[in-house]
Amino acid sequence: MSLIMPVNQVLQPVLKLKVDELFLYWLSETPTQLLLKDYLRRIKKGENVLPETAEDEGDLSVSSSKMQSAHKMVDNFSLSPVTPCSPPSRSPSALPIGACGSPRSGSTPRTRRSTRSRLVQPKREEPRTPTLSQNIPKFYFPKGCPKENINVDSIISKIENTFAVLPNEKATLDDMGKVAKACDCPLYWKAPLFHAAGGDRTGHVSVHKFVAMWRKILQTCHDDAAKFMQLLARPGCSYLEQEDFIPFLQDVVNTHPHLTFLREASEFHSRYITTVVQRIFYNVNRSWSGRITCPELRKSNLLQHVALLEEEDINQSTDYFSYEHFYVIYCKFWELDSDHDLYIDEQDLSKHNDHAISSRIIERIFSGAVTRGQKAQKKGKISYADFVWFLLSEEDKKTQTSIAYWFRCMDLDGDGVLSMYELEYFYEEQCQKMESMAIEPLPFEDCLCQMLDLVKPQCEGKITLHDLKKCKQANLFFDTFLNLDKYLDHEQKDPFSILRVSENEGQELSDWEKYAAEEYAILVAEEAATEQWNDGYEAELNALEADISNDKYGMDKRLCLDMASEQSQVDLEEYDYEEDFE
């Protein structure tokens, strides 16, 4: 056991122990014992020992004189009665006797000891006047602000009445639409409600399990974002990962009336789900963590689009669920994927928009600056999920996510700022392309001055992500260093018209919506032309078949079409689309 006192602890004497020690020492003194014996003798004789009032000052003087005589008697006594030769008596001037002469109880040592104790004692602070306590209302609600006017029992009663008309009071996934309405939830919350109550394990949900689950959610989650998070997230998780959206989106594919044609082509379900999941994380997960938190979900417009799925055409959801946008993205990827293994390399990606994108920025994409799939990076390829992020960022460089996407690519050293040497590195390739096209490039110094005037960075000579997000013309900045075709288009436009467009950008379609609408119209026209050509070609073949007795050529043609269809189906089915969510 260590007896070492901590350094920061102050020595403080215990007053009671000190008083007891002094009392015992006083009681053991010879004059005190003689005085007590005298008092005892007087008490036995019936005499008064102490004065009853303050007026008896004579008795006090007598007591003090007796104390002095007792001290004189001790001077004449020997210190030890058993000692044969007692030392000679000492004069009072040489060594004080009793309380005045003892080194342990003398006035000077006692004064010194008390002085030391006063120095050791910390300075006592004056008591502060108590302040009135203030009742600060709660202001942080991670699962939504509780609503006072909500009646949980009435909601539970509506749910029980809905289950009462179902067979055995059990609901299947097809019945969950009515249950979702009874819960005052949007229609397409039905699959998350079904799976959260354990319906995926048994194929049905009993009224007792569902009521217990929904009552707990109503008591702990007080807004739609917290409820939706609780329904989709795995047990114990306070965030959503990409796999958590698959059952919800599969139900949208299976039941939405505007996706009937997609429902029949089951091999493309995974591609549509992958596209929507990536668009959700592209717009909602601003932290780039791969995990959507409740505050991120609350700040986004995802739940509003989910609620509108039952009221509007699915193509009106241009941020997430549009089938036309999925069709454009997937067709663009299929054109680049030459071997159709659903992965593309640097050479494939460089063909996008007729080699308009800088090869140096493509190298940065494949370096892992903006991709998460470790398996794809080892192969030197990117998956379809990564291509969705690329195309959305390439065609609309004004969004917050696209600005962060290209900033990460251009930040070569990863220090969080774009230095002048990094800008010069990417602009050098642009100059080489312009010289090959017989276009005189603008010197880098002049280009740099234009870009600094455009962005207006807070720190001179360093462009941060905050500077670019604050700048309303980030697309002009990035196109100058990354996409030559768009850079030349900007150079040929009137700068005042660009400013007018930027001011009115909230009143019209975004760059991505314009691009998707134009590309979808082109793809539909090409598809119609191809079908018309095929119909005319088949009509000519039918006319020739009437004159040809041998049907070998027709058999070979049908066989080739069947083989192409089978090969395409094998490529899609062998690909595990869950790899997109790594």
Side-chain angles (χ1 to χ4, degrees), residues 400-468:
Q400 299 291 312
T401 306
S402 64
I403 293 174
Y405 185 95
W406 296 118
F407 182 88
R408 287 168 174 252
C409 291
M410 295 185 67
D411 187 12
L412 299 176
D413 51 8
D415 61 348
V417 296
L418 298 182
S419 304
M420 301 304 102
Y421 80 91
E422 292 171 330
L423 301 182
E424 185 177 9
Y425 173 77
F426 291 104
Y427 188 71
E428 183 179 356
E429 183 177 358
Q430 301 290 77
C431 293
Q432 295 175 359
K433 287 185 176 181
M434 283 187 283
E435 291 175 354
S436 64
M437 298 169 61
I439 301 175
E440 183 179 359
L442 187 68
F444 174 71
E445 291 77 10
D446 298 338
C447 176
L448 181 60
C449 292
Q450 291 182 359
M451 294 300 103
L452 293 178
D453 292 340
L454 180 71
V455 179
K456 295 180 177 61
Q458 293 182 353
C459 182
E460 184 178 359
K462 296 181 180 179
I463 298 176
T464 63
L465 179 60
H466 177 72
D467 296 331
L468 290 171

Side-chain angles (χ1 to χ4, degrees), residues 57-69:
E57 297 179 357
D59 293 340
L60 290 174
S61 60
V62 171
S63 300
S64 61
S65 62
K66 287 184 178 181
M67 179 65 73
Q68 292 178 0
S69 62

